[in-house]
Amino acid sequence: MQKNIDNNDNILVGERIRNIRENFHMSREKFSEMIDVSEVF
């Protein structure tokens, strides 16, 4: 059961990051460069 909760949390975090990134009109590539992580991460 804990695994489902963790997966849902990951989805929510990803959605929040995408919304913030899109509000700044940034591509995934540009955002990943800015925070120094790979685009896939």
Side-chain angles (χ1 to χ4, degrees), residues 1-40:
M1 186 78 178
Q2 184 66 28
K3 187 173 185 175
N4 289 336
I5 293 171
D6 291 341
N7 189 42
N8 290 335
D9 288 344
N10 289 338
I11 291 170
L12 291 174
V13 168
E15 289 174 352
R16 290 182 69 189
I17 291 171
R18 182 179 57 232
N19 288 334
I20 292 167
R21 178 181 59 77
E22 289 176 349
N23 284 337
F24 283 98
H25 306 285
M26 297 181 86
S27 66
R28 287 188 326 181
E29 180 181 356
K30 193 68 166 171
F31 186 72
S32 65
E33 287 175 8
M34 186 181 87
I35 62 172
D36 199 28
V37 298
S38 71
E39 183 178 341
V40 177

